């Protein structure tokens, strides 16, 4: 089911980390009324609840972009305002409709019989309503003959009698009913198959449809909070402001979320990373008690029960006293930095989905590298532990059941909690939460990561290749080189500057010997081959580049083409004392401009015939046009 989300597309502009935790902490104040009006206020059970917020990073598979979304049960307008305060103005923030089921669950090809069985058994992720009609039973009158003839024209299938009528290809018989599916032309050519919304007939005759959740084999990872001591969830992970400050001192370092984006960009199948969070009630009183226990040495059960029996003050050294006091002070400092009055309950998870026919170990290899991506954020007492969905349970059926349950939690934006040293819910301050829900700028991403997110390309070296579905716009015009593919090798087809952009200026810059002249020669050869009109090269250096171009032209297009279509104007060391293209004297004598241009062109035509030879000049059909163009432009 589609829901409204806020989509954010990054650029290379950096985020300012200082104000971000404060802006995110303001979400803590938002509440949702469970009952409204006077009756709600008079109701002794009237209360408010905390709205749930969601962050998604989604890729639909190979060569598809990684897109970032924010959602909320309530206060989506407020959330959008906060995001506009966080991100630079160059970031694109827009409202969109998102169906996470459609993006994550790939459709499967069914035969007519298998499709009918799936509809009957409820194994499709689609509910037929208007598409279902009751099939008319055969009668003994004349109509039965007509009906029988139609039935006989159906494509033969094995038992079940399902098939496609040549007169109504999208009508599929399912028992006593007929199901309407979409025609083949609705399958998008330039979009992934996940864009298909309803069961669709393909040109091959099979039917494309999504299997129900109970038929899927999802794989995924959830990140749990692991505490050294049971109550160490009160201490902090590495805050966002601290991680950003560390990253700013090293150009090669990126945020953990940027590392995750690189993993999502390489995914072969649809995959989503989800963060669900909501306000947590203040636990300031518990924090104060914990700090007192730490100071008094009663923080653990062992300390409380048998600690006094083992105290031997006289045998303790000063170094031992200092070590214990430092550990206690560090825990207390991290509890206070957590800000117990404003924290969030958070779930982190990533999931990928495949159909029963394609389920295998390849999905495990896709999610396995995700587990350690957040390890750099571990604190000294509170850490993150990645657990695969299928790690729990002994039997394979139990593992699959647990994975499907986790997938449903992702699709329904559920938030689960637990108890103990390791628990599925994280307790995070706004400064810690920012590590997991802020879209990284292109400067923090790798080249492939920036390409995968379609981040706007600004001042990056090397420039990332445009996304695959945009590359077709750069296949005609002036060739400028070969882009690197995903495997780091050059593509076989060069990248071009489209003809519509050629009238603008461009420049090549490099040190001596870097290949500027060779690149210019290649540019001219490409322009001659792919575009219309004359190409003019002016070489003021006189270092032989024009001769090199003519050699290259003859090599690529033939000597006869060179003689017919390339004109070389060598400039002598001593120029004659008159202007080649000046027509002002003729115009001063009363001639019209057109007549003056024609007279000058005729004059130089005779000169070219003498220099080139009459036969060669007459074969060079571009020469008269070129002369008139040069004279008329002065």
């Amino acid at each position: 089911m589609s829901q409204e989300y806020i989509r954010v597309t990054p650029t290379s502009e950096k985020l300012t980390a200082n104000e971000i935790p404060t802006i995110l902490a303001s979400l803590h104040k938002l509440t949702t009324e469970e009952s409204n009006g006077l009756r709600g206020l008079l109701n002794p059970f009237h209360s408010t609840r905390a709205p749930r917020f969601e962050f998604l990073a989604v890729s639909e598979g190979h060569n598809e972009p990684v897109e970032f979304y924010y959602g909320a049960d309530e206060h989506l307008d407020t959330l959008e305002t906060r995001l506009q305060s966080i991100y630079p103005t160059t970031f694109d923030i827009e409202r969109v409709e998102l169906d996470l089921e459609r993006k994550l669950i790939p459709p499967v090809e069914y035969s007519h019989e298998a499709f009918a069985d799936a509809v009957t058994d409820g194994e499709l992720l689609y509910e037929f309503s208007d598409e279902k009609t009751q099939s008319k039973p055969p009668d003994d009158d004349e109509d039965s003959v007509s009906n029988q003839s139609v039935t006989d024209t159906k494509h033969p299938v094995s038992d079940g009698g399902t098939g496609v009528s040549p007169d109504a290809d999208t009508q599929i018989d399912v028992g006593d009913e007929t199901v309407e599916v979409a025609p083949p032309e609705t399958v998008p050519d330039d979009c992934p198959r996940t864009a298909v919304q309803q069961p669709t007939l393909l040109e091959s005759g099979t039917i494309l449809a999504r299997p129900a959740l109970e038929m899927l084999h999802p794989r995924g990872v959830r990140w749990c909070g692991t505490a050294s001591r049971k109550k160490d969830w009160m201490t902090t992970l590495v805050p966002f402001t601290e991680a950003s400050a560390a990253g700013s001192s090293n150009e090669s370092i990126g945020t953990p979320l940027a590392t995750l984006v690189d993993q999502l960009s390489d995914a072969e199948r649809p995959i989503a990373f989800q963060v669900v969070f909501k306000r947590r009630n203040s636990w300031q009183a518990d924090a104060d008690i914990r700090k007192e226990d730490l100071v008094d040495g009663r923080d653990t059960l062992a300390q409380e029960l048998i600690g006094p029996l083992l105290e031997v003050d006289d045998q303790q050294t000063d170094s031992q006293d200092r070590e214990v006091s430092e550990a206690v002070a560090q825990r207390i400092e991290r509890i206070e930095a957590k800000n117990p009055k404003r924290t969030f309950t958070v779930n982190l998870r990533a999931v990928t989905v495949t159909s029963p026919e394609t389920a295998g170990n390849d999905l495990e290899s896709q999610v396995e590298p995700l587990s350690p991506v957040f390890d750099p954020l571990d604190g000294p007492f509170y850490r993150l532990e990645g657990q695969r969905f299928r790690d729990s349970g002994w039997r394979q059926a139990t593992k699959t059941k647990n994975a499907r349950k986790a997938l449903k939690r992702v699709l329904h934006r559920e938030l689960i909690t637990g108890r103990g040293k390791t628990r599925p819910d994280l307790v995070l301050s706004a400064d810690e939460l920012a590590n997991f829900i802020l879209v990284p700028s292109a400067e923090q991403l790798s080249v492939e990561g920036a390409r995968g997110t379609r981040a706007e390309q600004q001042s990056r070296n090397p420039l990332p290749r445009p996304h695959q579905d945009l590359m077709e716009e750069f296949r005609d015009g002036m060739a400028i080189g070969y882009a690197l593919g995903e495997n780091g090798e050059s593509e076989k087809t060069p990248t071009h500057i489209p003809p519509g952009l050629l009238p603008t200026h461009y420049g090549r810059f490099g040190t001596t010997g870097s290949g500027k002249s060779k690149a210019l020669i290649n540019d001219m050869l490409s322009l001659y081959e792919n575009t219309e009109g004359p190409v003019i090269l002016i070489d003021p250096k006189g270092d032989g580049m024009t001769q090199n171009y003519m050699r290259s032209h003859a090599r690529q297009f033939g000597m006869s083409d060179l003689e017919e279509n390339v004109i070389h104007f060598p400039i002598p060391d001593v120029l004659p004392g008159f202007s080649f293209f000046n027509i002002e004297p003729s115009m001063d004598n009363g001639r019209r401009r057109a007549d003056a241009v024609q007279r000058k062109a005729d004059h130089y035509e005779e000169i070219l015939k003498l220099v080139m030879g009459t036969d060669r000049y007459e074969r060079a059909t571009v020469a008269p046009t070129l002369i008139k163009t040069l004279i008329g432009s002065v």
Side-chain angles (χ1 to χ4, degrees), residues 525 528 549-558 561-562 566:
L525 294 173
Y528 179 84
Y549 173 78
M550 289 190 290
R551 294 189 186 98
S552 302
H553 188 103
R555 179 67 178 270
Q556 183 166 341
F557 304 108
D561 189 276
L562 173 69
V566 178

Side-chain angles (χ1 to χ4, degrees), residues 88-99:
T89 56
T90 56
F91 278 49
D92 187 15
I93 302 175
E94 59 181 338
R95 293 282 190 102
V96 296
E97 291 289 328
L98 172 66
D99 188 340

Side-chain angles (χ1 to χ4, degrees), residues 299-374:
D299 187 49
T300 65
L301 183 62
Q303 287 177 338
E304 188 171 355
L305 295 179
I306 63 175
L309 301 177
L310 301 178
E311 289 180 354
V312 185
D313 295 337
D314 296 338
Q315 298 178 4
Q316 292 180 338
T317 63
D318 294 339
S319 61
Q320 288 175 326
D321 289 337
R322 186 166 54 254
E323 182 179 354
V324 171
S325 63
E326 288 178 354
V328 169
Q330 192 175 10
R331 272 191 166 90
I332 293 176
E333 180 183 356
R334 288 188 170 269
I335 292 174
E336 293 174 344
K338 195 92 166 186
N339 190 2
K341 294 182 179 180
R342 286 195 177 184
T343 57
F344 297 88
T345 301
V346 184
N347 281 177
L348 305 178
R349 49 211 176 197
V351 63
T352 183
V353 181
T354 187
S355 61
E357 291 79 2
T358 57
N361 293 330
D362 61 324
L363 281 185
E364 292 293 350
S365 63
Q366 182 167 312
V367 301
E368 185 66 31
L370 300 180
S371 297
V373 295
F374 295 129

Side-chain angles (χ1 to χ4, degrees), residues 564-580:
E564 292 179 4
N565 296 315
V566 178
I567 302 175
H568 179 215
F569 294 92
I571 305 297
D573 294 335
V574 179
L575 295 177
F578 63 91
S579 174
F580 278 95

